[in-house]
Amino acid sequence: PAAASMAAQKRTDEMRDRVVLGEFGVRNVHTTDFPGNYAGYDDAWDQLRFEEGFRVDVIREEEGMLEFDMVGIDAAIANAFRRILLAEVPTMAVEKVFVYNNTSIVQDEILAHRLGLIPIRADPRLFEYRNQGDEEGTEIDTLQFQLKIKCSRNPQAARESSDPNELYLNHKVYSKHMTWVPLGNQTDLFPDADFRPVHDDILIALLRPGQEIDILMHCVKGIGKDHAKFSPVATASYRLLPDITLLQPVEDEAAEMLQKCFSPGVIEVQNIKGKKVARVANARLDTFSREVFRHEGLKNLVRLARVRNHFIFSVESTGILPPDVLVSEAIKILMGKCQRFLNELDSLPME
């Protein structure tokens, strides 16, 4: 009976902690650790226990890219962070385009759409949201940019040249040609500000001699829920930590076959007493192609699973704010939502 109860407990633990990948499906997909669901497990919410089990580890931080682990959290909360990053952290983007002259072949509305998608390097925390129905922007809620450029022939070009880069001047309109025009007292408000597009080399339009573009742009603060151009991230996603277990020793040809079934670096083959023996070196690198299930001799030797409460986040910023700032802003927004909910509950008269 002791062995049977041990096995039962092991099965229960697997059900609670692991999402298991089988040959034709995925088991234990749903969260099951709620109070009273399993005899002998206390799954009531306990803040101290949560604080002990919860952690965030930064794995990799590069220019505009952040990879971190969030451990000991529920999928619903992890997903809330992801969705807030995508749709509710505000940025500044071009909202109104005043076209004074546009004789290029790019139609006005296409041009305006292209300009809207250019990420603007301006800290959204310095600005207010513009009020609904405000036609004129003010210094606290609007950034103004000008784009004025005219294409002409290059008098120095060689007679027989056919290269547009040589023949014409200003024939490519880049985001670097957008210049900031301070509104009101913005020069005093932001003495050391350098408001400009994040990248200088975004191609906006092509011109030919005599064609010109003369426009003014108003950038306002907004969120991705309203329009994708306000989203501060290129991607924000998470995956569960892979967990690969070898159920019995795998040796010689089988070991080399096993190594080929997984992404590079996941399985290493060691030489022990003249025998080649496989071991799991770094499961984190695996993408779970399930290739191992195609081999009759191997498929029952391995258990593929994912750790249910270990989320590997990757956040890639568009360059407006660094990704670590975006994550902390997302956390603040979630805290604000919770606070608002609690205030609503407090203000409602209880029946």
Side-chain angles (χ1 to χ4, degrees):
S5 73
M6 277 288 290
Q9 183 171 357
K10 212 169 160 193
R11 275 202 304 277
T12 306
D13 284 344
E14 181 182 282
M15 206 181 288
R16 289 158 53 85
D17 307 334
R18 297 288 186 269
V19 177
V20 182
L21 283 89
E23 187 174 359
F24 298 114
V26 186
R27 299 202 309 278
N28 314 344
V29 184
H30 302 291
T31 309
T32 55
D33 52 352
F34 39 84
N37 195 26
Y38 296 110
Y41 287 90
D42 170 27
D43 281 321
W45 165 254
D46 175 50
Q47 182 155 351
L48 277 173
R49 197 181 333 137
F50 170 74
E51 284 173 15
E52 277 171 22
F54 179 72
R55 64 173 208 275
V56 174
D57 307 325
V58 176
I59 305 295
R60 193 161 56 97
E61 191 168 359
E62 292 161 16
E63 185 67 34
M65 170 79 194
L66 175 70
E67 185 182 316
F68 65 94
D69 288 14
M70 205 181 261
V71 187
I73 203 166
D74 196 70
I77 309 291
N79 200 40
F81 284 128
R82 182 188 70 85
R83 293 186 52 164
I84 289 170
L85 276 169
L86 288 168
E88 293 185 59
V89 176
T91 62
M92 303 291 286
V94 174
E95 174 74 7
K96 283 199 158 77
V97 179
F98 303 94
V99 183
Y100 293 104
N101 195 4
N102 171 23
T103 52
S104 74
I105 59 163
V106 183
Q107 298 100 320
D108 294 358
E109 55 270 42
I110 305 291
L111 188 64
H113 180 253
R114 288 175 73 81
L115 293 165
L117 296 173
I118 293 173
I120 305 292
R121 179 170 285 151
D123 192 331
R125 295 169 293 186
L126 302 172
F127 296 90
E128 303 293 322
Y129 287 102
R130 195 195 271 201
N131 291 328
Q132 217 83 37
D134 270 12
E135 281 304 310
E136 291 298 310
T138 62
E139 63 264 18
I140 58 162
D141 61 25
T142 306
L143 269 180
Q144 187 168 266
F145 285 89
Q146 187 180 36
L147 176 59
K148 194 168 183 175
I149 189 165
K150 184 167 184 174
C151 177
S152 55
R153 289 188 186 281
N154 179 9
Q156 268 88 49
R159 291 275 302 269
E160 63 283 348
S161 169
S162 63
D163 179 11
N165 293 319
E166 215 178 299
L167 287 172
Y168 313 127
L169 300 170
N170 282 342
H171 79 116
K172 284 183 172 173
V173 183
Y174 286 110
S175 49
K176 67 180 174 205
H177 295 125
M178 290 167 61
T179 51
W180 173 46
V181 181
L183 272 173
N185 63 347
Q186 279 181 343
T187 30
D188 307 331
L189 278 176
F190 314 112
D192 49 357
D194 176 23
F195 297 129
R196 57 193 180 85
V198 172
H199 306 283
D200 287 339
D201 56 351
I202 299 172
L203 186 65
I204 297 170
L206 290 175
L207 302 180
R208 284 294 175 263
Q211 296 183 349
E212 64 179 303
I213 289 177
D214 178 7
I215 51 183
L216 260 177
M217 290 160 268
H218 280 183
C219 299
V220 302
K221 183 174 173 175
I223 58 175
K225 223 190 240 188
D226 181 48
H227 192 295
K229 69 185 176 189
F230 293 115
S231 183
V233 292
T235 59
S237 62
Y238 60 74
R239 61 195 179 100
L240 291 173
L241 178 75
D243 173 49
I244 298 169
T245 318
L246 299 183
L247 303 174
Q248 59 194 70
V250 182
E251 295 169 352
D252 299 328
E253 281 84 62
E256 297 195 326
M257 196 74 200
L258 188 74
Q259 189 176 30
K260 290 197 184 107
C261 288
F262 292 95
S263 305
V266 176
I267 303 284
E268 76 174 6
V269 178
Q270 295 173 317
N271 212 326
I272 299 175
K273 297 178 187 166
K275 267 189 175 170
K276 292 174 178 167
V277 181
R279 80 171 192 94
V280 180
N282 186 357
R284 188 191 177 92
L285 299 173
D286 198 35
T287 55
F288 281 161
S289 60
R290 306 192 202 202
E291 173 69 20
V292 69
F293 291 129
R294 297 178 57 188
H295 302 280
E296 277 306 318
L298 295 177
K299 66 180 183 188
N300 297 322
L301 306 182
V302 189
R303 185 192 75 158
L304 302 186
R306 288 190 181 272
V307 182
R308 187 191 294 285
N309 64 356
H310 188 135
F311 295 89
I312 301 172
F313 272 84
S314 72
V315 178
E316 200 178 305
S317 166
T318 54
I320 297 168
L321 289 172
D324 53 330
V325 175
L326 291 178
V327 173
S328 65
E329 286 298 303
I331 292 169
K332 283 181 200 159
I333 290 169
L334 187 59
M335 283 159 64
K337 284 174 177 285
C338 298
Q339 197 52 58
R340 200 159 65 243
F341 181 61
L342 290 172
N343 295 345
E344 285 290 321
L345 286 179
D346 289 344
S347 65
L348 283 171
M350 283 299 170
E351 289 302 319

